[in-house]
Amino acid sequence: MVLPDKATADGLVQAAHLAEVRGRSLWADARIRFFRNKAAVGALIVLTLVAIFAFFGGFIAQYERDFVDFALMGANQTQGVPSIETGHYFGTDSSGRDLYARTVQGTRISLLVGIVGAGVAVIVGTLYGAVAGYFGGRIDSIMMRTVDVLMSIPFMFVLILMLVIFGRSILMLFIGIGLISWLDMARIARGQTLTIKNKEFVEAAVATGVAPMMIILRHIVPNLLGIVIVYATLLVPGMIITESFISFLGLGVQEPNTSLGALISAGASQMQYGVIWQLLFPLFFFIITLFAFFFVGDGLRDALDPKDR
Amino acid sequence: MTEPILSVSDLSVIFDIRPQGAWPWTKSLKLHAVSGVGFDLAPGECLGVVGESGSGKSTLARAIVGTIPSTGGKIIFNGTDLASMSPRDRRHHRRDVQMVFQDPLAALNPRMPVGDIIAEPLVTHYPDLPRKEVKSRVSEMMERVGLLPNLINRYPHEFSGGQCQRIGIARALVMQPKLLICDEPVSALDVSVQAQVINLLADLRRDMGLSMIFIAHDLSVVKHISDRIVVMYLGRLMETAKSRTLCTRPEHPYTQALIASVPIPDPVMEHARERPILEGELPSPLNPPSGCVFRTRCPKAQPSCADAQPPAEELGDGHRVACPFHAPAQVLAPV
């Protein structure tokens, strides 16, 4: 703002010192746009409810997830029906275990797998891609060819091998999914970095004498985050599906732990015996979680789209 | 004459251009963006650099600031040669040479509040400075460039182009540099704001005793603020002179054409004047003409011009012309 004359200027300056104006960052703008999107907000609420269910649903479960109700053995179809009275809200599975407690636990594992996978992708992939893109030249070539090589390995095969060799455990699953999830992210981050690093504000930082790593962290990564976040929310369902597939094959989480994929697999094998709820309850949570993530991702993309700014 | 604060001699910047789809072993093409440029800058002096688009003005600025490595020549700043320093050593010398950029909004990180943007040089070079001190210096600087200090938490997209340029100037000056390089600081602004920003720069230069290199393709803007002007064409210096001399008695045919191209805000005079209009386009810097690079478009070109690059001829009072057929011409210049 241009100050008109000395007296007014002094008055303005004094007023100015009194009240600091809070700026509205691009993040704040994006948040406002996001909350204007009904579908995305609805999906976010659903996601929150699913998360509450997954992490606190266990408190209202009447049975332990590995408690076998022998009273129901052989009478699953008639007595294992979902009901409030028996305490089996979602009924029982084929071994007479409480499906509610198992679904809570399965949802938790699936969410964790998705979030851990996406988290690794965001942290490792973004930094890797930003470093490769910023330094360019030979460093870039080496780093990105490494990604290409890793990508050309059929990862499902490697994951299955890992689970077979090192044993089936949640940790192994996390490691396996984390190992591959960052590859795509690294490529996306690098591509974006190439456009950002030629902007004048990066040059201004170089001219000021800011160290290269600091430029990446302070100037490049914050400008990457919009795209990275959108991609991460769309990555979560992918991770959940991968885990479910592995569990469906029977290689994922080990009993008595379970995951949505394992529950769906078990339910599907029982569906012709009139216990369709064993399939429907896990499937319901699986589908609404995936849908919610997709809608939130869409909403974020619209909110963070730079062309809309 | 006092010791120059900046002395550039025989500076050249060559870019390697890889042809599209070339084999790895094919030689890359050499683009001579700047070649054989030399000038001195006295403390407190303002040097204007003019030339059409693609003449290497910005590359020259970036080579002096150090964001583009120079290929040859010397950049002696305060007695040390910046061109021969390693990037790491050079980073510590950055605080004395700062730059103001052409596109005011693009030069500011959209995700940072302006207070942080202006504070960045301070935080970088004096990491131990307490935050209160940083903030007070930033507020002081904002007032000085005509911004209200309570806007410290605002983001760049909330400001107009002129205000963004003021933020850029504040960032450049917060370290109290000795040399400020302005790369077309006003060409992205509208005319009324241009005047404000130029006057601001002129005031700051006087108050802080800054030396300045002011780049523009608009001669009338450069003339207003500079003590001396150098004219560039295809990466080479054509003419150097005091700004009054250059605008009233240009010697080089290119300078004459450049000045003649500035419109006069008087339709009668504008209509009456004779102007040598340049034909054609700037030749490709990948394949510059032999000898004098201007000969392909020069109205006075002789066959001998193709032989060798004409040396700079000293005409006295710092007036140097790189043309053997130079002659003073009375050009009607806008006042």
Side-chain angles (χ1 to χ4, degrees):
Chain A
M1 190 183 279
V2 182
L3 303 178
D5 64 82
K6 194 80 179 98
T8 348
D10 284 347
L12 278 173
V13 166
Q14 275 181 1
H17 280 302
L18 291 177
E20 259 179 28
V21 183
R22 272 209 65 71
R24 217 167 81 177
S25 69
L26 293 178
W27 295 120
D29 275 354
R31 195 162 56 232
I32 290 165
R33 270 199 298 274
F34 180 83
F35 281 112
R36 231 180 267 147
N37 185 338
K38 298 283 184 305
V41 173
L44 193 65
I45 292 169
V46 168
L47 214 51
T48 318
L49 292 178
V50 170
I52 290 171
F53 170 77
F55 289 95
F56 303 107
F59 291 123
I60 57 163
Q62 302 287 324
Y63 303 90
E64 288 292 314
R65 66 192 143 95
D66 50 357
F67 171 75
V68 179
D69 204 341
F70 287 103
L72 300 177
M73 270 296 175
N76 236 338
Q77 197 184 340
T78 49
Q79 289 173 38
V81 205
S83 87
I84 305 285
E85 289 106 72
T86 58
H88 295 297
Y89 309 130
F90 291 179
T92 55
D93 73 354
S94 53
S95 320
R97 289 175 295 192
D98 184 33
L99 194 59
Y100 175 79
R102 290 179 68 74
T103 309
V104 166
Q105 208 257 334
T107 312
R108 185 161 65 221
I109 294 276
S110 288
L111 277 183
L112 275 181
V113 166
I115 288 164
V116 167
V120 170
V122 166
I123 295 165
V124 179
T126 309
L127 284 179
Y128 192 92
V131 167
Y134 182 74
F135 288 107
R138 193 157 296 163
I139 296 177
D140 179 33
S141 296
I142 293 172
M143 287 176 83
M144 291 326 284
R145 288 308 80 76
T146 311
V147 168
D148 290 349
V149 168
L150 287 177
M151 231 173 202
S152 65
I153 300 172
F155 109 87
M156 194 58 87
F157 177 71
V158 173
L159 190 53
I160 290 171
L161 263 186
M162 273 175 63
L163 290 168
V164 169
I165 294 171
F166 299 108
R168 291 151 45 183
S169 69
I170 302 179
L171 182 70
M172 225 51 239
L173 205 63
F174 281 170
I175 292 174
I177 283 180
L179 274 180
I180 54 108
S181 63
W182 61 275
L183 297 173
D184 273 321
M185 189 65 94
R187 281 188 171 171
I188 291 171
R190 172 189 173 261
Q192 281 297 310
T193 307
L194 289 184
T195 61
I196 292 171
K197 80 165 178 180
N198 289 324
K199 294 250 173 82
E200 279 185 335
F201 66 82
V202 174
E203 196 183 352
V206 176
T208 305
V210 184
M213 266 334 267
M214 220 46 216
I215 292 180
I216 290 176
L217 291 179
R218 206 187 280 158
H219 295 285
I220 305 237
V221 170
N223 285 290
L224 281 178
L225 274 186
I227 284 172
V228 165
I229 286 174
V230 171
Y231 185 69
T233 47
L234 297 176
L235 200 65
V236 173
M239 294 293 127
I240 294 177
I241 291 172
T242 306
E243 187 278 329
S244 298
F245 180 64
I246 297 282
S247 297
F248 193 86
L249 294 180
L251 281 170
V253 187
Q254 199 149 28
E255 293 289 351
N257 288 329
T258 186
S259 78
L260 286 181
L263 286 173
I264 292 167
S265 167
S269 66
Q270 298 286 318
M271 60 196 271
Q272 68 267 46
Y273 304 128
V275 286
I276 194 71
W277 67 83
Q278 291 183 5
L279 176 63
L280 289 187
F281 281 109
L283 201 57
F284 171 74
F285 281 96
F286 185 69
I287 288 173
I288 61 165
T289 310
L290 294 196
F291 262 90
F293 268 114
F294 281 132
F295 274 114
V296 169
D298 264 1
L300 280 175
R301 192 185 52 214
D302 291 346
L304 296 166
D305 193 346
K307 286 186 203 83
D308 212 32
R309 219 171 267 159
Chain B
M1 200 174 145
T2 47
E3 191 74 1
I5 185 166
L6 176 77
S7 170
V8 176
S9 54
D10 202 27
L11 182 72
S12 64
V13 178
I14 299 172
F15 294 119
D16 283 343
I17 306 287
R18 305 248 1 126
Q20 281 264 305
W23 295 107
W25 54 83
T26 42
K27 280 216 183 92
S28 47
L29 301 169
K30 303 280 183 205
L31 189 150
H32 296 257
V34 172
S35 52
V37 168
F39 58 81
D40 286 344
L41 184 70
E45 194 187 12
C46 178
L47 180 76
V49 180
V50 290
E52 62 193 288
S53 310
S55 58
K57 308 180 297 272
S58 295
T59 310
L60 175 68
R62 281 165 171 73
I64 295 171
V65 172
T67 52
I68 290 177
S70 52
T71 324
K74 285 191 170 130
I75 305 167
I76 294 170
F77 179 75
N78 262 351
T80 43
D81 185 7
L82 297 181
S84 61
M85 268 183 199
S86 74
R88 186 179 290 270
D89 288 340
R90 191 153 186 184
R91 223 178 283 145
H92 299 292
H93 284 80
R94 292 262 161 82
R95 68 184 76 164
D96 289 335
V97 184
Q98 291 288 328
M99 186 157 171
V100 176
F101 292 85
Q102 177 173 13
D103 184 341
L105 190 56
L108 307 174
N109 184 347
R111 305 273 174 196
M112 267 165 106
V114 295
D116 290 355
I117 293 177
I118 298 173
E120 185 165 40
L122 282 177
V123 176
T124 305
H125 290 285
Y126 303 106
D128 302 331
L129 211 62
R131 287 182 61 179
K132 260 183 105 170
E133 172 75 14
V134 170
K135 200 174 164 189
S136 75
R137 282 212 211 171
V138 168
S139 311
E140 191 192 328
M141 203 64 232
M142 283 176 81
E143 273 176 55
R144 203 145 173 191
V145 298
L147 290 164
L148 291 175
N150 66 338
L151 302 177
I152 196 162
N153 287 327
R154 292 232 172 203
Y155 288 83
H157 63 118
E158 298 174 296
F159 291 89
S160 70
Q163 286 175 314
C164 283
Q165 198 54 285
R166 286 169 194 267
I167 296 166
I169 293 169
R171 168 177 59 190
L173 294 182
V174 75
M175 294 292 294
Q176 319 231 306
K178 300 195 178 74
L179 172 63
L180 183 68
I181 296 177
C182 304
D183 183 11
E184 307 206 17
V186 295
S187 55
L189 306 173
D190 65 60
V191 179
S192 59
V193 182
Q194 280 190 4
Q196 290 170 9
V197 170
I198 289 186
N199 289 334
L200 171 69
L201 281 171
D203 291 348
L204 288 168
R205 178 188 151 214
R206 199 184 48 235
D207 297 347
M208 300 175 74
L210 283 171
S211 310
M212 247 165 82
I213 294 179
F214 192 95
I215 295 171
H217 51 237
D218 185 350
L219 199 65
S220 50
V221 168
V222 175
K223 189 185 135 207
H224 180 75
I225 194 167
S226 312
D227 304 319
R228 244 172 356 123
I229 297 179
V230 300
V231 179
M232 284 183 80
Y233 182 80
L234 215 67
R236 289 162 179 83
L237 287 193
M238 294 287 122
E239 186 166 7
T240 311
K242 290 256 161 63
S243 40
R244 257 205 91 69
T245 323
L246 190 104
C247 289
T248 51
R249 295 185 67 244
E251 296 265 346
H252 197 284
Y254 178 62
T255 317
Q256 288 162 4
L258 205 62
I259 289 170
S261 71
V262 179
I264 302 173
D266 178 345
V268 182
M269 276 170 78
E270 173 72 24
H271 195 72
R273 74 166 162 172
E274 223 178 291
R275 35 160 70 182
I277 290 181
L278 289 184
E279 303 280 330
E281 303 238 326
L282 198 69
S284 163
L286 280 171
N287 187 17
S290 63
C292 174
V293 286
F294 184 53
R295 70 182 165 84
T296 51
R297 298 166 75 190
C298 182
K300 291 181 182 170
Q302 307 283 327
S304 62
C305 287
D307 296 341
Q309 201 178 323
E313 204 174 311
E314 183 73 52
L315 302 180
D317 198 23
H319 194 160
R320 286 193 293 172
V321 185
C323 178
F325 307 108
H326 67 86
Q330 199 62 47
V331 184
L332 273 180
V335 185

